[in-house]
Amino acid sequence: MTIFSKIIKGEIPCNKVLENDEFLAFHDINPKAPIHILIIPKVEVQNFQQVTPEIMAKMTSFIQEVATLLGLDESGYRLITNNGDNGGQEVMHLHFHLLGGAKLAWGHLADSDSKNFF
Ligand code: AMP
């Protein structure tokens, strides 16, 4: 079981932004931007490569709702999902990083410091 499954079950607390029956959005514990939200499905899906189009369709609407709730629909944001080892995925439960609140830098992502380029 991943740490995100424990958050879904309420065994570990989170700083919640929005929740419905199928998805949960909460603040990243180690933010890489002024606003850094993680958005996850409650069903166990390992990563983007494993997700079905049906779940993604509903997740897309939920992500858009979170962005609007935080005013990021107007100011802009970056949406990232790390997939697998080379993608830098650390928690093996599908999650999207929603980053905003400032103009975000963009750099080459193939070095060991890539997390600083969010
Ligand atoms: P990734 O590297 O894409 O798998 O991202 C995992 C993210 O989960 C990182 O940005 C972590 O800071 C974040 N994270 C890990 N544990 C927690 C937690 N308990 N609450 C909130 N965010 C977490």
Side-chain angles (χ1 to χ4, degrees):
M1 184 191 292
T2 70
I3 194 161
F4 290 173
S5 295
K6 291 180 180 170
I7 288 174
I8 292 163
K9 288 183 176 173
E11 294 171 8
I12 291 177
C14 72
N15 189 356
K16 187 164 61 177
V17 173
L18 189 66
E19 180 176 18
N20 67 17
D21 286 347
E22 292 173 289
F23 305 102
L24 174 65
F26 55 96
H27 289 269
D28 194 295
I29 206 167
N30 183 20
K32 305 286 196 301
I35 298 173
H36 185 169
I37 310 299
L38 296 176
I39 300 164
I40 65 176
K42 291 186 176 178
V43 66
E44 286 200 25
V45 178
Q46 196 176 10
N47 56 31
F48 184 76
Q49 193 60 30
Q50 303 296 328
V51 75
T52 63
E54 291 74 21
I55 293 174
M56 264 320 297
K58 289 186 274 186
M59 198 164 182
T60 297
S61 295
F62 186 79
I63 292 168
Q64 290 168 342
E65 195 179 340
V66 173
T68 302
L69 183 68
L70 298 173
L72 300 177
D73 56 329
E74 295 288 335
S75 57
Y77 58 86
R78 185 166 299 157
L79 189 64
I80 292 174
T81 188
N82 295 326
N83 193 96
D85 194 22
N86 275 358
Q89 184 178 7
E90 289 173 357
V91 179
M92 294 300 157
H93 183 119
L94 174 66
H95 53 282
F96 284 83
H97 299 258
L98 179 65
L99 300 136
K103 218 170 217 353
L104 302 174
W106 185 251
H108 59 101
L109 298 173
D111 62 23
S112 58
D113 257 338
S114 61
K115 290 203 163 187
N116 295 327
F117 284 98
F118 268 137

